[in-house]
Amino acid sequence: MIYRPYGRTGKDVSTIGFGAMRFGDVDNVDACTEMVVHAAERGITYFDTAPKYFGTRSEERIGEGLRELRRREMPYYLSSKTFESTESGIRREIEAQLKRLDVDAIDFYHMWCITDLAGWHERKKNGVIEAFLKLKEEGLIRHVCVSSHLIGDEIKELLDEDVFEGVLFGYSAYNYRTRVAAFDAIKRKNLGCVVMNPLGGGLIPQNPDMFNFIRTDENETIVQAALRFLIAHQEITVSLVGFGEKSHIDEAVEAVENFAPLGGPELEKIKAAGSTSFEGICTGCQYCLGSCPEEIRIPQLMDAYNQLILRGENELIGRLKYHWHVPFDEAAKCIECGRCEDACTQHLNIIERLAEIVEIGARAE
Ligand code: SF4
Ligand code: SF4
């Protein structure tokens, strides 16, 4: 395992992190604890959870796993998050989290999911920074962090806040062009940098041929190549992987252990080989869920649109008809209110895409 300094905190953490949002059987307490222990045995020390993964069960399972790590005197760092922005809301949330996680403090605590600057200014107005600093002063959290889906100059503005010690954002072999500005800010401010969604919401393993450009060793799997691509970025402290079973942990750890690290020039070569057409892909994060007054199934429709980008019209048609069973005329119900676009973490032009799907549907019928 490789360990890297988390910004200026003085802590070294494992470069592969345990993302606790994909437990195969979250209700099986023993199996989840075993996964946490297995990860620690393979050298993972960074464990990331959140209050809404599987309801509150992800935090509960991580709490039980960490209790076992303490019993075995194995090292770990804990990361979690909150959407709350008022002092009373944050206090209520963290008290419940500390109980579920069975710890006295959370190492890396994130202001969760900043999707636009207006929302960030609103949270600031509510006193989120002061509330986090108070928790730190009281020893309930150790480091103030932020999780963001902003891109370009917006993320620069967010990270210019002096309060942050680390940042978490989505980054992978298909969206790297939209995140370059973040790395400038991270280097300048010496922040810890954790990236999530390293497999592009499953798109990379589902389309290994298209992502072949990230492979530098014929023995590595596409998952390992995708992770090695991330680890080659010296600015990235931790790449979070959502583990569903123990074998996923082994596969990720082997990406670090069994292959020679990529050098800077090799990384640049891979980036240059990547097609710009991978930009604008829906990651399946589902943050748009519930935003549509017409109850249009946006994640399913945008997933099908991914197929259009990656494989062409017939794949879109097949995906909607046979995989999702969503009729084309569902896209035609759009009243262009824009709520889904405001919620979309990837800033996709959903309205235009829905119109295009309607046209394709008309042609197909
Ligand atoms: S823009 Fe269309 S798809 Fe998006 S929330 Fe509004 S009605 Fe729904
Ligand atoms: S449309 Fe946007 S918010 Fe919705 S699942 Fe896709 S990337 Fe996420």
Side-chain angles (χ1 to χ4, degrees), residues 2 77 122 142 156 189 210 228 248 268 334:
I2 297 171
Y77 293 105
E122 185 64 31
R142 300 206 168 91
K156 260 187 172 158
K189 309 286 275 191
M210 282 160 201
R228 225 153 50 99
H248 297 163
E268 289 314 312
C334 177

Side-chain angles (χ1 to χ4, degrees), residues 291-294 296 298 334-340 350-351 354:
S291 63
C292 181
E294 300 299 312
I296 295 172
I298 303 160
C334 177
I335 54 167
E336 302 187 6
C337 70
R339 286 189 206 164
C340 57
I350 296 171
I351 298 173
L354 291 177

Side-chain angles (χ1 to χ4, degrees), residues 296 301-302 304-305 308 313 316-317 320 326-336 349-365:
I296 295 172
L301 284 151
M302 291 304 106
Y305 196 92
L308 175 69
E313 198 166 303
L316 175 145
I317 295 169
L320 272 186
V326 174
F328 284 98
D329 54 9
E330 183 156 326
K333 290 193 321 195
C334 177
I335 54 167
E336 302 187 6
N349 50 352
I350 296 171
I351 298 173
E352 271 179 39
R353 290 180 178 203
L354 291 177
E356 211 178 325
I357 289 173
V358 173
E359 279 174 27
I360 292 172
R363 275 201 298 276
E365 273 152 18

